[in-house]
Amino acid sequence: MTNRGDDPAECSAASPPGSARHRVMPDLSPNFGSPLEWWYAQGRLAEADGREHHLMFCLYRVRRDGGDASMALVSLVDVAACRHATANVVSRPFVSTILDIATRVGAHVAPPPIVRFGVGLFGGMVRDDAWPGFALHAETAGFGAPLAVDWAGIELRQDDATISLAFSASGSPFQFDLDLTTRAPWSSVGAHHLPGHALDGYRSCPRLNARGRVCGRSVEGVLWFEQQWGSLDQTILEEGGHLRLIGWNWFGLNFDDGSDLLLYQRRDMSSGEPVDDFAVLFEGDDWRIVRDGFRTRPGSNRRAPYSLISFPRRWRLESPSLDLALDFETEHDMAEISILGPLHTLWEGPGRFAGWWKGRRVTGRGWVELYGWDRPLGPTAHVRFWGEALRSLVRSRHVAP
């Protein structure tokens, strides 16, 4: 199958305002020619009595010599019970991708013998299931077109205008089974919109109606859904022999008036300086991309309990071109998600915002995803990595306690 999303006619927002074309769910089949691709969903679900659950799901597909590799991240927060459960499911071929990244990064920070030892130690513990916080599967996910995945207790399937999303991995403390249907327009950002960016395609729908069951209880709610694909250099740039690790700040904002806004900013993980950004504004039945800059100013921080990384809890979001100024605050701290590998923590959680847009007062709820708020090439990251390696060795009895 050829890589879709390169047709400007498909990826532009050329329909007149009020057109219903963008409310039709697009074909979300895999782009098999793309080195990296993922499908992502997040949002809020509520039981009949109002008990709320916050869900995040992401399934990755990486193309490697000899076939695909896959990884899934799942997070579920039971707000009333103050309980947060996560799952990181990894195929064995995906481990090789992680080791390649670790070797590439390590070459810039340590002598080759130390890099080989560290990567070999980490890889051996992962393959022996001695590294904490993930589930290793020998087989990778089988990706079908139309979109159909059934792997390791994970199901992601598109049937015309419905997305089926389910998780029931063995040993997991939670399960869910949901059907999603379109409620808002779908954007389709292509490579021609983002010159110089590592993304080749980016589809997004800010509101899908969700209905199903979480841990056996009936729920309804609204989820944000995305499909992205592009090169493997989403998080690594090499310039003049120097390595730059790239993180991002992502905001999905649902305004109470029915409008929606996506803000995506890549940032240098060492300096914290922005690398590039874009926004997608959804109004009525249409959408448009905005590339003339927006500003994110972090406020107070909170140290995550597992990774010890300080993540901002409050933000000032400003876009002069949109005449927009918002104050965003996260709703709770149950948002830390562990990822297998040296760059191992994602901050993903809900928030509320208020501010001004086009001279009028606006409010709403949204979601923030933060990646790369550590300094992965610094001494603190090394101490944390080798400390975790030592603890894992002890737990697995590779060495005597």
Side-chain angles (χ1 to χ4, degrees):
M1 176 177 290
T2 58
N3 189 22
R4 296 176 293 104
D6 296 328
D7 180 5
E10 177 189 5
C11 295
S12 67
S15 296
S19 169
R21 181 173 72 91
H22 296 303
R23 287 188 181 266
V24 176
M25 186 179 293
D27 181 5
L28 302 173
S29 296
N31 296 272
F32 291 110
S34 179
L36 174 64
E37 185 169 22
W38 63 95
W39 295 262
Y40 163 87
Q42 55 81 1
R44 297 171 172 84
L45 302 165
E47 300 177 36
D49 61 1
R51 181 168 181 159
E52 195 166 78
H53 303 267
H54 297 159
L55 172 73
M56 191 282 286
F57 168 91
C58 194
L59 177 63
Y60 298 86
R61 183 193 63 82
V62 173
R63 191 187 68 205
R64 294 186 57 83
D65 293 340
D68 285 341
S70 52
M71 180 178 78
L73 296 174
V74 188
S75 169
L76 185 69
V77 173
D78 184 332
V79 180
C82 199
R83 183 169 57 243
H84 182 204
T86 65
N88 183 190
V89 186
V90 182
S91 71
R92 284 190 178 273
F94 200 92
V95 174
S96 298
T97 300
I98 295 172
L99 296 180
D100 289 346
I101 295 173
T103 301
R104 186 177 175 189
V105 172
H108 290 262
V109 298
I114 295 179
V115 174
R116 287 194 297 270
F117 175 77
V119 171
L121 177 64
F122 173 69
M125 289 188 294
V126 168
R127 294 188 180 103
D128 291 342
D129 289 334
W131 195 266
F134 81 102
L136 183 64
H137 283 260
E139 301 298 325
T140 196
F143 292 86
L147 177 62
V149 179
D150 187 355
W151 169 69
I154 296 163
E155 182 179 355
L156 176 63
R157 187 180 307 274
Q158 181 182 11
D159 181 13
D160 295 328
T162 301
I163 299 170
S164 297
L165 178 61
F167 178 75
S168 58
S170 176
S172 172
F174 63 92
Q175 306 83 34
F176 58 81
D177 188 347
L178 304 170
D179 287 331
L180 315 179
T181 54
T182 295
R183 176 174 167 180
W186 285 80
S187 65
S188 189
V189 175
H192 62 286
H193 290 113
L194 305 171
H197 204 288
L199 283 172
D200 292 330
Y202 192 147
R203 292 194 176 94
S204 185
C205 182
R207 302 183 194 229
L208 286 90
N209 291 322
R211 178 175 295 181
R213 302 180 73 83
V214 170
C215 299
R217 299 187 293 270
S218 296
V219 294
E220 294 185 2
V222 177
L223 299 188
W224 188 302
F225 192 94
E226 296 189 340
Q227 178 191 19
Q228 300 181 40
W229 64 94
S231 78
L232 286 170
D233 290 333
Q234 302 287 330
T235 60
I236 300 177
L237 295 177
E238 290 193 46
E239 300 172 342
H242 298 285
L243 186 75
R244 296 179 72 192
L245 297 181
I246 306 301
W248 58 80
N249 306 326
W250 180 96
F251 294 87
L253 306 177
N254 302 126
F255 290 81
D256 289 337
D257 68 0
S259 302
D260 305 283
L261 182 64
L262 181 160
L263 301 174
Y264 181 58
Q265 180 184 66
R266 295 200 302 169
R267 58 191 294 277
D268 188 298
M269 291 173 65
S270 295
S271 68
E273 294 299 316
V275 174
D276 54 32
D277 59 63
F278 68 90
V280 179
L281 176 63
F282 301 83
E283 289 186 288
D285 286 324
D286 219 338
W287 64 275
R288 64 186 175 97
I289 189 167
V290 180
R291 290 222 67 194
D292 49 358
F294 63 86
R295 294 189 293 268
T296 60
R297 289 188 291 167
S300 61
N301 288 3
R302 180 68 60 86
R303 190 175 296 276
Y306 170 70
S307 66
L308 304 182
I309 301 171
S310 292
F311 291 99
R313 298 189 70 241
R314 295 181 176 88
W315 291 83
R316 179 73 170 180
L317 309 175
E318 299 177 334
S319 172
S321 63
L322 294 175
D323 191 17
L324 178 77
L326 303 175
D327 291 308
F328 182 98
E329 183 173 358
T330 57
E331 294 183 27
H332 54 67
D333 294 330
M334 295 177 287
E336 188 180 20
I337 303 173
S338 298
I339 307 174
L340 181 67
L343 310 177
H344 58 73
T345 301
L346 187 71
W347 183 267
E348 179 98 30
R352 298 177 183 270
F353 63 88
W356 296 90
W357 184 21
K358 301 177 184 177
R360 59 187 176 88
R361 182 72 173 171
V362 292
T363 56
R365 302 179 76 179
W367 208 268
V368 58
E369 178 179 289
L370 305 176
Y371 178 74
W373 276 79
D374 193 10
R375 294 184 179 272
L377 304 185
T380 302
H382 284 281
V383 169
R384 184 168 53 250
F385 173 80
W386 290 108
E388 188 61 67
L390 179 60
R391 287 191 295 271
S392 298
L393 281 170
V394 172
R395 283 192 294 265
S396 64
R397 299 182 181 179
H398 283 266
V399 299

